[in-house]
């Protein structure tokens, strides 16, 4: 069987986005190994629909799959903490070089713990908005909801994050006047 141009496009898409998708999935579910499984399953689902999705928005399609699968996993397994996290083993995600400034912020265990306290939809909105820098419309498209829902979920999530991390919230407000 020979490779088609669509196959090559899919491979290029995966190579270009796999690390970003793993990071996003890691923030959704809180575990690097589960994130890899989520991304692998999402890419398998994307591959089966690639012909119909490639001209539209494959990014939104795969993000929607990741989000829904992460929620399904969360509902099935609850907020189970993996043994490696309990034992304090190093996370493989921490060994990668961080290309963006936000990665240094996300690497903090306090941030990961605070994100883990959010409900799945709020967590997804925060990850997509502040980690992947998507617009409200793009987030709504990726999650299959309205922009109003994205705004309300972001507001609730930020309020809870501020309560969970008051020292971070206080330092960001102190320097917020200079723009």
């Amino acid at each position: 069987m020979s490779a088609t141009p669509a196959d090559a496009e899919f491979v290029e898409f995966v190579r270009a986005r796999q690390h970003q998708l793993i990071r996003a999935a890691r923030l959704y579910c809180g575990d690097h190994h589960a994130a890899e499984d989520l991304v692998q399953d999402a890419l398998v689902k994307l591959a089966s629909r690639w012909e119909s999705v490639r001209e539209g928005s494959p990014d939104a399609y795969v993000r929607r799959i990741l989000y829904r699968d992460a929620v399904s996993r969360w509902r099935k397994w609850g907020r189970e903490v993996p043994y490696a996290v309990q034992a304090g083993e190093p996370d493989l995600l921490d060994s990668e070089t961080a290309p963006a400034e936000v990665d240094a912020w996300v690497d903090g265990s306090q941030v990961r713990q605070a994100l883990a306290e959010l409900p799945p939809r709020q967590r997804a909105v925060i990850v997509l908005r502040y980690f992947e820098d998507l617009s409200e419309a793009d987030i709504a498209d990726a999650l299959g909801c309205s922009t109003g829902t994205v705004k309300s979920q972001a507001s609730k999530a930020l309020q809870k994050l501020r309560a969970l991390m008051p020292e971070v919230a206080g330092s960001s407000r102190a320097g917020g006047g200079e723009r």
Side-chain angles (χ1 to χ4, degrees):
M1 198 176 226
S2 64
T4 66
D7 293 339
E9 286 178 16
F10 179 74
V11 169
E12 183 179 325
F13 175 86
V14 170
R15 285 187 178 143
R17 292 176 181 76
Q18 66 184 348
H19 296 295
Q20 180 183 11
L21 292 171
I22 289 173
R23 283 192 179 121
R26 166 68 164 73
L27 293 172
Y28 288 156
C29 65
D31 174 51
H32 185 73
H33 300 290
E36 288 178 336
D37 291 344
L38 280 172
V39 170
Q40 181 177 347
D41 292 344
L43 291 174
V44 167
K45 291 174 183 177
L46 177 64
S48 69
R49 303 268 308 170
W50 182 251
E51 287 293 330
S52 61
V53 178
R54 72 183 181 147
E55 296 300 323
S57 180
D59 284 316
Y61 186 79
V62 77
R63 281 188 192 103
R64 184 178 292 176
I65 293 169
L66 276 177
Y67 165 69
R68 288 182 177 171
D69 287 357
V71 169
S72 294
R73 181 182 181 88
W74 183 81
R75 285 181 180 150
K76 184 176 182 181
W77 299 106
R79 294 182 186 226
E80 187 175 280
V81 178
Y83 175 76
V85 172
Q86 293 173 359
E89 291 180 18
D91 189 340
L92 295 175
L93 185 64
D94 293 338
S95 65
E96 295 180 18
T97 58
E101 287 182 19
V102 74
D103 288 347
W105 180 76
V106 170
D107 281 342
S109 64
Q110 182 184 14
V111 173
R112 286 194 303 266
Q113 289 171 353
L115 283 172
E117 294 294 318
L118 296 176
R121 182 171 276 194
Q122 289 178 11
R123 185 179 325 142
V125 167
I126 293 298
V127 170
L128 292 172
R129 179 69 187 109
Y130 297 102
F131 181 72
E132 293 196 28
D133 199 28
L134 295 182
S135 69
E136 291 166 346
D138 290 339
I139 295 168
D141 185 40
L143 300 181
C145 62
S146 70
T147 55
T149 300
V150 170
K151 290 176 185 180
S152 69
Q153 293 295 303
S155 175
K156 290 174 185 176
L158 289 172
Q159 183 178 7
K160 185 162 185 177
L161 288 173
R162 284 185 191 110
L164 291 169
M165 301 184 317
E167 64 283 351
V168 174
S171 67
S172 67
R173 287 187 183 155
E178 298 175 27
R179 281 199 178 194

